[in-house]
Amino acid sequence: MYLRTTRRKNKDGSVVEYHQLAHNVRHAETGQPVAEIIHNFGRADELDRQDLVRLCRSIARVYGLEVRDPLAFPDKAATPQGSSALPEGVQLIQTLGLGIPFVTEALWERLGIGPALRKVMQKDGCGLHYEKALLAMTANRLCEPESKLGVWDRWLSKVYMPPCDGLKLHQMYEAMDVLQRNIGKIEDAVFFHTANLLDLVVDLIFYDTTTASFSIDEEDADTDDTPGLRKLGHSKNGTWTSQIVVALAVTRHGLPVRSWVFPGNTSDFETIKKVRADLRGWKLGRALFVADSGMNSQENRDELARACGKYLLAARMGSVSEVKEDVLARAGRFKVITENLHAKEVAVGDGELRRRYIVCYNPREAKRQRKHREQVVKELEQELDKHPDHTATARWAVDLLASGRYKRYLSTDKIGHIRLDRGAVRRAAKFDGKWVLQTNDDTITVQDAAAGYKGLLVIERCFRALKRTRIKMEPMHHWLPYRIEAHVKICVFALLIERVAELTCKQPWTKIRQTLNTLQASEFHTPKNQFFQCNEASPELLCILKSLEIPRPKIVLNVQSRTSTV
């Protein structure tokens, strides 16, 4: 196998070079060796030379070799005098990312994840290198999410993580198997250690589910012992796909308490019994099931009351007559909780039939919705004035009636003409900035109920980070059920570290990550030694490390004797 260079001459006389990965095979008929192209890298002038150098170093690392780049380190005669500030014999080899792995490892230990894993693995008779493999996979989720193969083959060579040197690919997969076998004990230990460390008041637990899809058309077959995990079902984004259900319980501050993985066709309220049983032994203040209006039906409420006990659900304001006619129309003064959160309680019915509602109001959101509706109505008036023919079957009218932006304010009269429904506009104005919650918990205050639903927004934010924006739980590159579950747990560990950093630093993770990426470790070689040196820390970086109570790394990180080179 070799790197092959080909050239093509253009009409204008210019020559373009291409790089290809090839190997020689014998022609089936002539028996002569011919080049077989394995991979086309593309035009040489458009390639990033450092990417090819990293590929060479990745191959060399597997076989214990070292690659030296002569263009990066020209000989003394070819170097302009005074162009290098390094002493004679000292060579700068490469610069590796340090900030995110360094902070991740510190929080990994502080939150008790590392100690819990090592304790379990010692009892299980496993090597402690499995814990380092899980650390590497978790840090990668916070940095540049890759597959497990990508972590081992590409990412580890770009960061400075001495504890993870020498990891093998099979050790990463074996570490995931050990994690899945012992996940209950590990999650218990991590949660209580975190609760004690951060002095958390765990009196309220918020719970919600999401789906994670796979790029396959089949579902897993059921066995005699357990049902298949990847099942066809309706995902949260409305598609029909092979998926799993991921459930997450978090504190009111968005710190993950525990996670669960269910078959993809599991309904939300079917997961509650398992969740309630797992959390019962934790002796929490109370577990409150919080969900959107999609869960709010009489059947679901009865099931939630039996399985979970207490719930807090959003109510459908426009389609449930009791909410629309009794709850929203009930007079009463809102209590100001915060500047943009006002709330009042409304009770409907008596005795056992009593239903408790919390009406919430956001003045800023009401103003935004009012302006938006006024703009939509203005656009509709202009559109209706443009067309003399108002027949509802006209192409322009059909488009308006099918539009998600306009259709709620339109109707057709008895003769089949499209018109602006002023009554719908007035009815919509009654809902500006409001949402209604329904709960069966008489002990929860109006403030906690309103803040509780805000807690659901925290879960949604956690799910977005977990699935798409940062940690990227999807796509999953596993098909074994226990590997899929272990992958989810690793992503939740990353989410816990991310949320702790955000709450401590009072900054979003995107900004924290950007600052941490400025901390790097440069590798230097002398004729006899190899050492790593940390760059100077910026004021923003020092502020983050101070907030996290993590001392900045030493200037010289590691000094060791040189290995044999080629």
Side-chain angles (χ1 to χ4, degrees), residues 346-381:
V346 176
V348 178
D350 298 314
E352 294 183 358
L353 298 179
R354 177 179 177 271
R355 292 169 297 283
R356 189 181 183 210
Y357 294 94
I358 309 294
V359 182
C360 302
Y361 176 68
N362 184 337
R364 182 181 299 174
E365 180 65 15
K367 183 178 179 180
R368 188 196 67 80
Q369 291 177 356
R370 183 174 63 255
K371 288 183 176 180
H372 176 267
R373 184 175 57 257
E374 290 172 352
Q375 177 63 30
V376 170
V377 170
K378 183 178 180 181
E379 293 172 5
L380 280 174
E381 291 172 341

Side-chain angles (χ1 to χ4, degrees), residues 206-270:
F206 302 107
Y207 171 81
D208 201 2
T209 62
T210 189
T211 55
S213 304
F214 295 81
S215 299
I216 59 173
D217 295 328
E218 301 84 13
E219 62 180 11
D220 294 339
D222 297 337
T223 63
D224 295 336
D225 299 331
T226 57
L229 188 60
R230 295 179 297 181
K231 289 291 186 179
L232 293 173
H234 287 288
S235 67
K236 294 294 184 179
N237 57 13
T239 59
W240 180 263
T241 182
S242 180
Q243 63 184 19
I244 60 172
V245 173
V246 178
L248 190 64
V250 304
T251 68
R252 64 174 69 224
H253 299 295
L255 292 174
V257 172
R258 191 162 182 171
S259 61
W260 297 264
V261 178
F262 297 98
N265 57 358
T266 309
S267 62
D268 282 347
F269 62 82
E270 287 177 349

Side-chain angles (χ1 to χ4, degrees), residues 128-140:
L128 296 182
H129 50 271
Y130 288 156
E131 182 257 331
K132 300 305 179 185
L134 293 170
L135 169 62
M137 290 184 279
T138 303
N140 172 259

Side-chain angles (χ1 to χ4, degrees), residues 173-185:
Y173 292 118
E174 291 168 0
M176 296 177 69
D177 299 343
V178 176
L179 173 64
Q180 191 275 336
R181 289 199 303 268
N182 300 279
I183 190 59
K185 299 177 183 177

Side-chain angles (χ1 to χ4, degrees), residues 6-193:
T6 59
R7 293 176 175 84
R8 178 175 61 84
K9 189 173 183 178
N10 296 325
K11 292 182 180 180
D12 59 0
S14 61
V15 178
V16 180
E17 288 190 351
Y18 295 86
H19 288 336
Q20 301 166 327
L21 186 65
H23 71 150
N24 288 337
V25 296
R26 292 195 177 276
H27 194 278
E29 297 179 359
T30 65
Q32 297 296 321
V34 294
E36 182 179 81
I37 306 303
I38 299 174
H39 177 72
N40 285 300
F41 288 101
R43 289 179 51 159
D45 58 341
E46 295 180 351
L47 291 175
D48 187 341
R49 183 177 180 278
Q50 290 303 315
D51 286 344
L52 294 178
V53 173
R54 280 195 294 270
L55 176 61
C56 294
R57 288 188 174 130
S58 177
I59 296 172
R61 176 171 56 83
V62 176
Y63 293 97
L65 307 175
E66 183 178 337
V67 175
R68 303 181 69 177
D69 184 359
L71 295 186
F73 314 110
D75 56 70
K76 185 176 179 181
T79 306
Q81 186 175 4
S83 63
S84 175
L86 295 176
E88 183 178 355
V90 179
Q91 298 176 334
L92 173 61
I93 304 301
Q94 62 179 336
T95 298
L96 305 174
L98 173 62
I100 294 178
F102 177 71
V103 168
T104 300
E105 185 176 1
L107 294 178
W108 179 268
E109 295 297 322
R110 183 182 301 173
L111 297 175
I113 304 174
L117 286 169
R118 290 193 291 269
K119 182 178 180 180
V120 166
M121 289 176 179
Q122 286 177 344
K123 290 184 178 179
D124 211 28
C126 302
L128 296 182
H129 50 271
Y130 288 156
E131 182 257 331
K132 300 305 179 185
L134 293 170
L135 169 62
M137 290 184 279
T138 303
N140 172 259
R141 289 286 126 188
L142 295 165
C143 188
E144 298 175 10
E146 289 257 19
S147 65
K148 307 305 176 289
L149 175 61
V151 174
W152 173 79
D153 184 50
R154 296 183 292 273
W155 183 74
L156 280 176
S157 62
K158 297 190 294 183
V159 296
Y160 181 77
M161 291 188 73
C164 300
D165 288 346
L167 279 177
K168 306 298 183 183
L169 180 61
H170 69 86
Q171 292 173 342
M172 293 189 169
Y173 292 118
E174 291 168 0
M176 296 177 69
D177 299 343
V178 176
L179 173 64
Q180 191 275 336
R181 289 199 303 268
N182 300 279
I183 190 59
K185 299 177 183 177
I186 295 170
E187 284 184 323
D188 288 5
V190 171
F191 170 72
F192 286 110
H193 184 88

Side-chain angles (χ1 to χ4, degrees), residues 314-521:
R316 295 182 177 93
M317 294 191 297
S319 59
V320 178
S321 59
E322 181 176 270
V323 175
K324 183 169 55 176
E325 298 172 4
D326 295 342
V327 177
L328 289 175
R330 186 76 59 88
R333 181 171 296 180
F334 284 95
K335 181 177 181 179
V336 179
I337 299 173
T338 63
E339 180 183 356
N340 290 310
L341 180 58
H342 305 176
K344 67 178 180 180
E345 180 178 353
V346 176
V348 178
D350 298 314
E352 294 183 358
L353 298 179
R354 177 179 177 271
R355 292 169 297 283
R356 189 181 183 210
Y357 294 94
I358 309 294
V359 182
C360 302
Y361 176 68
N362 184 337
R364 182 181 299 174
E365 180 65 15
K367 183 178 179 180
R368 188 196 67 80
Q369 291 177 356
R370 183 174 63 255
K371 288 183 176 180
H372 176 267
R373 184 175 57 257
E374 290 172 352
Q375 177 63 30
V376 170
V377 170
K378 183 178 180 181
E379 293 172 5
L380 280 174
E381 291 172 341
Q382 293 173 349
E383 188 69 21
L384 290 170
D385 291 341
K386 282 169 49 179
H387 301 278
D389 180 15
H390 286 183
T391 304
T393 55
R395 178 61 181 269
W396 67 272
V398 172
D399 290 342
L400 286 180
L401 290 170
S403 168
R405 179 179 176 86
Y406 301 117
K407 65 181 180 180
R408 63 180 302 191
Y409 302 123
L410 293 171
S411 63
T412 55
D413 57 22
K414 294 180 180 180
I415 60 175
H417 285 182
I418 187 172
R419 66 181 183 87
L420 180 63
D421 190 341
R422 299 288 180 181
V425 175
R426 289 191 297 270
R427 289 192 295 272
K430 297 179 181 179
F431 300 145
D432 284 351
K434 295 177 183 176
W435 66 95
V436 179
L437 310 176
Q438 184 176 359
T439 181
N440 65 342
D441 188 353
D442 289 331
T443 65
I444 190 171
T445 65
V446 173
Q447 294 93 324
D448 283 345
Y453 191 72
K454 288 288 187 180
L456 182 64
L457 303 181
V458 174
I459 297 183
E460 293 299 330
R461 181 174 178 270
C462 290
F463 277 141
R464 284 196 299 273
L466 198 62
K467 291 176 60 177
R468 295 184 295 273
T469 58
R470 295 190 294 275
I471 299 173
K472 297 182 180 178
M473 184 172 65
E474 297 176 311
M476 294 190 191
H477 304 281
H478 306 283
W479 64 275
L480 293 173
Y482 52 88
R483 293 267 172 84
I484 293 173
E485 183 176 0
H487 172 76
V488 172
K489 301 299 182 179
I490 290 171
C491 292
V492 174
F493 283 154
L495 178 63
L496 173 61
I497 292 173
E498 176 185 299
R499 288 297 298 148
V500 168
E502 287 182 327
L503 293 171
T504 304
C505 299
K506 296 180 175 57
Q507 296 182 30
W509 177 253
T510 51
K511 187 173 182 180
I512 296 173
R513 180 173 61 185
Q514 182 179 3
T515 304
L516 291 178
N517 282 333
T518 63
L519 183 61
Q520 299 175 334

